[in-house]
Amino acid sequence: MDQTTTALDAYEISTDAARLDRARVHHWLSTDAYWALGRSRDKQDRAIDGSLNFGAYETATGELVAYARVVTDHATFAWLCDVYVDRPARGKGLGTALVEAVRDHLAPFGVTRVVLATHDAHDVYAKAGFEPLDVPEHWMALRFR
């Protein structure tokens, strides 16, 4: 029997935070993610503890190769953040698959809005259905710096 496989068959996506390699997530984000450069390990661990986390793992080795974090009330709102794919795993559709897994996980809760901010990955998110805000001038932010 013919069996069709894709590059994505080599990965498993899980929301089990206990499986996360926290040191690896911290290293990725604090050294290679423009939005989190210099983030402390303590702050990253607190962010993981207070969030819904998604890890993508190589099925053959169990190695964490991508990560995403969602801040949500599981009812009305979610913020997708800290999406990161390890450099050797990029270009295989894993980022899109990870974002689609987030979307599909949140859908049954009836969350009506999932937001995110990106500087350079608009195409990845558009493939999962994200689009620019209809009225961005309605949104505001409070920054503590």
Side-chain angles (χ1 to χ4, degrees), residues 24-94:
R24 185 171 201 154
V25 169
H26 174 254
H27 176 74
W28 285 338
L29 297 177
S30 68
T31 65
D32 194 38
Y34 66 85
W35 64 90
L37 293 175
R39 183 182 291 170
S40 73
R41 173 67 190 268
D42 175 64
K43 185 172 277 197
Q44 184 60 51
D45 283 343
R46 286 186 288 131
I48 289 170
D49 290 340
S51 301
L52 171 62
N53 300 277
F54 292 77
Y57 303 87
E58 285 186 345
T59 55
T61 65
E63 181 181 7
L64 179 68
V65 294
Y67 173 75
R69 184 168 70 85
V70 179
V71 180
T72 183
D73 60 10
H74 290 93
T76 63
F77 182 82
W79 172 41
L80 173 59
C81 54
D82 288 347
V83 178
Y84 187 91
V85 178
D86 196 13
R87 289 189 178 274
R90 293 181 186 176
K92 302 173 184 173
L94 184 55

Side-chain angles (χ1 to χ4, degrees), residues 118-136:
T118 185
H119 177 72
D120 58 0
H122 296 80
D123 290 345
V124 171
Y125 299 109
K127 290 176 188 173
F130 283 83
E131 52 192 39
L133 293 172
D134 290 335
V135 190

